[in-house]
């Protein structure tokens, strides 16, 4: 952890696998597609490790297809349509996230969302989850010139929130999150160990801290 580390004006978060567990609805959409083709369900546990990778990762699990495969785009469109219709059926915030958001706000620290999920789907999801509606900025994967690991979404989030992004922290459960925070020169990038990534991978991303529970972020803030 960098030292000394000043209190940030804002903390930004990835969405899927960091703030919320969307794997049941993402995996459910994939298994629905499999059922339409006469294939048995794989179950949510099969999809959870790929839930942060979007349609590309999920369809790889469900059908073994890659974006360059001729059937991929049709499957992607069907997946998105099904997921959009059911994206908040079984979703929930991870344990400790509500308390973390409340604690940030109590300290006068803003918070926001920077995700690679499309901004259209992100807005629908935020509209259905009151907990997320206090975000000062919501940036999707198609909001900026390029998605994470580019710095572009981070810079846009800082602009929307009215803060200097180089003073803010970022929390995410994928290596791209740490890379994007580094590209934007954010002083603290935290790996969310409660998310979808295998624990064996987290310590190889070069994050400033690896937290197994959101409450540990408050411990880091307390020492800032």
């Amino acid at each position: 952890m960098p030292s000394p580390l000043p209190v940030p004006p804002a903390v930004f978060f990835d969405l899927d696998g960091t703030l919320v567990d969307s794997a049941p609805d993402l995996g459910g959409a994939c298994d629905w597609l499999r059922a339409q083709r006469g294939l048995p369900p794989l179950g949510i546990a099969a999809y959870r490790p790929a839930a942060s990778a979007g349609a590309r990762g999920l369809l790889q699990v469900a059908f073994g297809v890659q974006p360059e495969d001729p059937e991929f785009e049709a499957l992607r469109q069907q997946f998105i349509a099904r997921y959009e219709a059911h994206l908040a059926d079984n979703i929930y915030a991870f344990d400790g996230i509500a308390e973390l958001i409340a604690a940030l706000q109590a300290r006068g620290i803003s918070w926001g969302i920077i995700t690679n999920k499309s901004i259209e789907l992100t807005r629908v999801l935020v509209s259905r989850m009151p907990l997320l509606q206090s975000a000062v900025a919501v940036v999707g994967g198609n909001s900026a010139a390029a998605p994470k690991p580019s710095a572009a979404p981070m810079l846009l989030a800082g602009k929307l929130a009215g803060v200097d992004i180089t003073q803010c922290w970022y929390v995410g459960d994928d290596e791209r999150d740490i890379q994007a925070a580094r590209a934007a020169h954010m002083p603290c990038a935290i790996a969310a160990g409660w998310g979808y990534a295998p624990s064996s991978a987290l310590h190889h991303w070069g994050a400033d801290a690896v937290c197994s529970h959101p409450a540990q972020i408050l411990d880091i803030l307390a020492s800032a």
Side-chain angles (χ1 to χ4, degrees), residues 1-220:
M1 178 61 60
S3 181
L5 194 64
V7 175
V11 178
F12 292 94
F13 298 86
D14 178 46
L15 183 59
D16 301 291
T18 301
L19 290 173
V20 300
D21 187 354
S22 51
D25 293 323
L26 291 164
C30 287
D31 271 350
W32 180 85
L33 287 177
R34 285 178 58 84
Q36 302 309 299
R37 290 156 177 78
L39 299 171
L42 297 179
I44 302 307
Y47 297 108
R48 193 172 294 278
S52 287
R56 177 173 57 182
L58 290 160
L59 292 175
Q60 165 69 26
V61 173
F63 298 102
V65 296
Q66 302 283 353
E68 59 270 21
D69 294 332
E71 65 268 39
F72 177 84
E73 185 57 28
L75 282 170
R76 189 184 73 85
Q77 293 294 339
Q78 293 166 24
F79 165 78
I80 290 173
R82 177 68 181 184
Y83 173 62
E84 184 173 8
H86 297 273
L87 85 176
D89 286 3
N90 302 289
I91 199 167
Y92 60 90
F94 284 104
D95 178 53
I97 289 296
E99 292 80 3
L100 174 56
I101 289 175
L104 290 175
Q105 293 175 315
R107 292 191 59 165
I109 300 172
S110 299
W111 76 279
I113 298 169
I114 308 173
T115 175
N116 274 3
K117 185 191 291 291
S118 75
I119 189 60
E120 293 81 12
L121 291 177
T122 300
R123 285 172 176 159
V124 173
L125 183 55
V126 169
S127 74
R128 298 183 187 178
M129 295 192 71
L131 175 65
L132 304 182
Q133 292 168 16
S134 60
V136 295
V138 178
V139 172
N142 56 339
S143 296
K148 298 175 293 183
S150 167
M154 327 305 267
L155 299 175
L156 176 59
K159 181 178 180 180
L160 293 174
V163 295
D164 181 353
I165 200 66
T166 64
Q167 297 178 8
C168 300
W169 297 5
Y170 190 67
V171 184
D173 73 307
D174 190 272
E175 186 174 14
R176 292 171 301 179
D177 297 322
I178 308 306
Q179 292 169 339
R182 293 283 180 256
H185 304 291
M186 300 173 78
C188 184
I190 298 172
W194 61 87
Y196 301 137
S199 58
S200 59
L202 298 171
H203 294 276
H204 298 287
W205 296 348
D208 296 301
V210 176
C211 295
S212 60
H213 190 278
Q216 292 177 299
I217 296 173
L218 296 178
D219 295 336
I220 298 172

